[in-house]
């Protein structure tokens, strides 16, 4: 789904909330009685902020969906109430609560649950030989397929790297190449990254390519290689070598086998993180990793302390203390993103991004 297709429904919802839908005031048809509220109270799940309708929807879903553990064939609600050994039941109930509060449809909530907890959704991904960041034995492995000319991949890149830093020693990031045919500079950029990888400078080239996404001509790529002090004879040879093409083809074949329909494509411990089902990718992925670590029996690294906020009128703080780098701009609704660049909404540029617009909530 392109960014434009993702934003237009939000704009339409905003319009509906202002103007309203015309009702049929002359109708004498009796209104159906509201469905009786299913009362579900689970320890560790705070439903106090839900409207009555939202509470009914959440209660019904946690009572219908089975626990994520195949050896615990009871509902999520029963699993939590009876303190069954399936540790994923409580996080599943909390995920569904969050999805309800965000105004997601029943199908979207169910899809999010299966994406995150269904054992049948786990894929085995070969990562040998791929450039990576973080310890090879980390309990969490994030695999990303990306195109250096894809604007949404550029936005996702710092989000994933921040997870490696945030959970230091607990997360490994693996990069795989998928230059899209719609991007004329995608494959030359991928070849340049592989040529840099052969000289131990993959991530340095990776950053330069994304930072200069609008400058990916051959002369630009050679200039980046020179900036990294690469052996230019070897670099130029590797750009056109059969081994370089074979590496790209291998990554693309694997992505096609797991159903890639756009970039970036992200997997967390073998589960696809469908960005259409994430409201705030930086925060949602951080929470995903945290819960995954806990389910695996690891204690997540504590979050770093938040920077102190200067009090109004304070003059003794250095001017640079409150300065923050500008976030990468997301293409605005109505702008023309390159065709085929993504089949999912654009992620935020980093953890400091503002929250996504709230969906209308009915009482």
């Amino acid at each position: 789904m392109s960014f434009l297709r993702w934003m237009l429904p939000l704009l339409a919802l905003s319009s509906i909330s202002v103007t309203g839908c015309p009702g049929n005031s002359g109708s004498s048809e009796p209104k159906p009685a509201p469905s009786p509220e299913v009362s579900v109270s689970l320890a560790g799940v705070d439903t106090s902020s839900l409207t009555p309708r939202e509470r009914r929807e959440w209660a019904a879903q946690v009572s219908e969906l089975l626990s994520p553990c195949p050896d615990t064939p009871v509902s999520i609600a029963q699993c939590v109430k009876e303190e069954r050994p399936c540790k994923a039941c409580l996080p599943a109930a909390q995920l569904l609560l969050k999805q309800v509060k965000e105004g997601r449809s029943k199908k979207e909530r169910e899809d999010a649950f299966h994406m995150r907890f269904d054992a049948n959704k786990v894929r085995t991904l070969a990562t040998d030989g791929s450039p990576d960041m973080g310890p090879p034995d980390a309990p969490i492995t994030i695999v990303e397929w990306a195109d250096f000319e894809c604007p949404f991949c550029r936005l996702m890149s710092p989000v994933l790297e921040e997870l490696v830093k945030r959970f230091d020693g607990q997360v490994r990031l693996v990069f795989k190449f998928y230059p899209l045919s719609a991007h004329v500079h995608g494959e030359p950029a991928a070849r340049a990254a592989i040529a840099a990888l052969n000289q131990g400078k993959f991530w340095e080239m990776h950053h330069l390519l994304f930072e200069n996404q609008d400058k990916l001509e051959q002369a630009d790529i050679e200039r980046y290689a020179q900036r990294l002090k690469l052996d230019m004879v070897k670099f130029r040879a590797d750009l056109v070598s059969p081994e370089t093409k074979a590496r790209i083809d291998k990554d693309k074949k694997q992505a096609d086998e797991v159903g890639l329909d756009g970039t970036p494509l992200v997997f967390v411990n073998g589960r696809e993180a469908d960005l259409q089902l994430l409201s705030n990718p930086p925060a949602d992925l951080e929470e995903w990793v945290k819960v995954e670590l806990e389910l695996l029996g690891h204690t997540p690294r504590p979050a770093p302390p938040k920077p102190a906020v200067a009090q109004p009128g304070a003059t003794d703080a250095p001017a640079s203390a409150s300065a923050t780098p500008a976030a990468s701009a997301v293409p605005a609704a109505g702008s023309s993103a390159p065709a085929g660049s993504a089949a999912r909404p654009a992620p935020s540029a980093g953890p400091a991004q503002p929250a996504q617009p709230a969906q209308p909530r009915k009482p």
Side-chain angles (χ1 to χ4, degrees):
M1 179 184 293
S2 69
F3 182 81
L4 178 57
R5 288 182 58 197
W6 176 62
M7 285 300 294
L8 287 178
L10 290 177
L11 296 175
L13 283 172
S14 299
S15 174
I16 290 173
S17 67
V18 173
T19 61
C21 296
N24 185 6
S25 58
S27 173
S28 59
E29 291 288 332
K31 295 182 179 179
S35 56
E37 182 170 350
V38 180
S39 178
V40 174
S41 177
L42 302 180
V45 184
D46 182 5
T47 62
S48 61
S49 63
L50 298 183
T51 66
R53 176 189 59 81
E54 291 171 336
R55 193 174 292 111
R56 287 195 300 271
E57 291 181 356
W58 173 79
Q61 206 148 26
V62 295
S63 300
E64 293 169 2
L65 289 172
L66 291 179
S67 108
C69 301
D71 57 352
T72 309
V74 299
S75 71
I76 295 172
Q78 184 177 344
C79 176
V80 176
K81 282 182 178 179
E82 297 177 357
E83 298 182 353
R84 297 290 186 104
C86 180
K87 295 189 295 183
C89 288
L90 179 57
Q94 293 168 335
L95 172 69
L96 290 168
L97 174 73
K98 183 174 184 290
Q99 291 277 310
V100 167
K101 291 172 69 173
E102 291 171 354
R104 298 283 186 168
S105 69
K106 181 178 180 180
K107 183 179 185 307
E108 288 173 328
R109 299 194 300 266
E110 189 167 335
D111 288 346
F113 164 75
H114 287 299
M115 170 186 75
R116 181 62 190 84
F117 296 106
D118 190 339
N120 295 323
K121 295 291 185 180
V122 180
R123 307 296 295 267
T124 299
L125 304 176
T127 60
D128 53 300
S130 295
D132 61 359
M133 176 186 296
D137 59 348
I140 306 294
T141 295
I142 299 175
V143 180
E144 177 200 24
W145 275 270
D147 173 345
F148 286 108
E149 201 174 5
C150 165
F152 308 126
C153 297
R154 175 178 59 83
L155 294 174
M156 178 56 76
S157 174
V159 173
L160 299 182
E161 290 187 35
E162 181 60 30
L163 290 174
V164 178
K165 298 174 185 175
R166 160 70 180 85
F167 298 96
D168 183 30
Q170 297 181 312
V171 173
R172 174 190 178 215
L173 172 62
V174 177
F175 184 94
K176 290 184 175 289
F177 303 92
Y178 202 103
L180 297 164
S181 58
H183 293 156
V184 296
H185 301 102
E187 182 158 335
R191 287 173 174 269
I194 293 171
L197 171 66
N198 294 342
Q199 298 189 44
K201 293 291 183 73
F202 169 77
W203 290 106
E204 293 87 343
M205 179 63 80
H206 168 283
H207 294 152
L208 284 173
L209 293 171
F210 274 134
E211 289 166 6
N212 300 278
Q213 196 172 61
D214 57 341
K215 298 181 179 67
L216 296 177
E217 300 294 342
Q218 182 63 31
D220 299 317
I221 286 173
E222 292 210 1
R223 188 169 64 253
Y224 306 147
Q226 290 168 349
R227 186 186 306 180
L228 297 177
K229 301 186 183 326
L230 301 183
D231 179 333
M232 295 305 296
V233 173
K234 177 173 173 53
F235 179 79
R236 293 186 181 107
D238 287 345
L239 280 177
V240 297
S241 74
E243 292 79 12
T244 296
K245 184 179 187 306
R247 177 184 283 272
I248 294 173
D249 291 343
K250 178 183 177 182
D251 282 359
K252 292 182 71 172
K253 181 176 184 294
Q254 187 183 19
D256 291 337
E257 289 172 351
V258 299
L260 180 145
D261 61 3
T263 57
L265 174 65
V266 177
F267 280 79
V268 180
N269 273 12
R271 295 178 180 276
E272 181 184 352
D274 186 344
L275 302 183
Q276 296 183 63
L277 298 175
L278 303 182
S279 299
N280 184 336
D284 291 346
L285 287 172
E286 180 179 351
E287 180 64 19
W288 183 327
V289 170
K290 180 176 178 291
V291 171
E292 185 73 8
L293 285 167
E294 292 170 344
L295 292 178
L296 291 172
H298 296 271
T299 301
R301 295 277 187 270
K306 294 182 179 180
V309 179
Q311 296 298 319
T315 58
D316 55 345
S320 59
S322 61
T324 55
S328 300
V330 176
S335 64
S336 56
S341 59
R344 57 199 82 243
S348 304
Q353 289 295 301
Q356 298 292 328
Q359 301 248 4
R361 296 171 63 188
K362 299 178 182 178

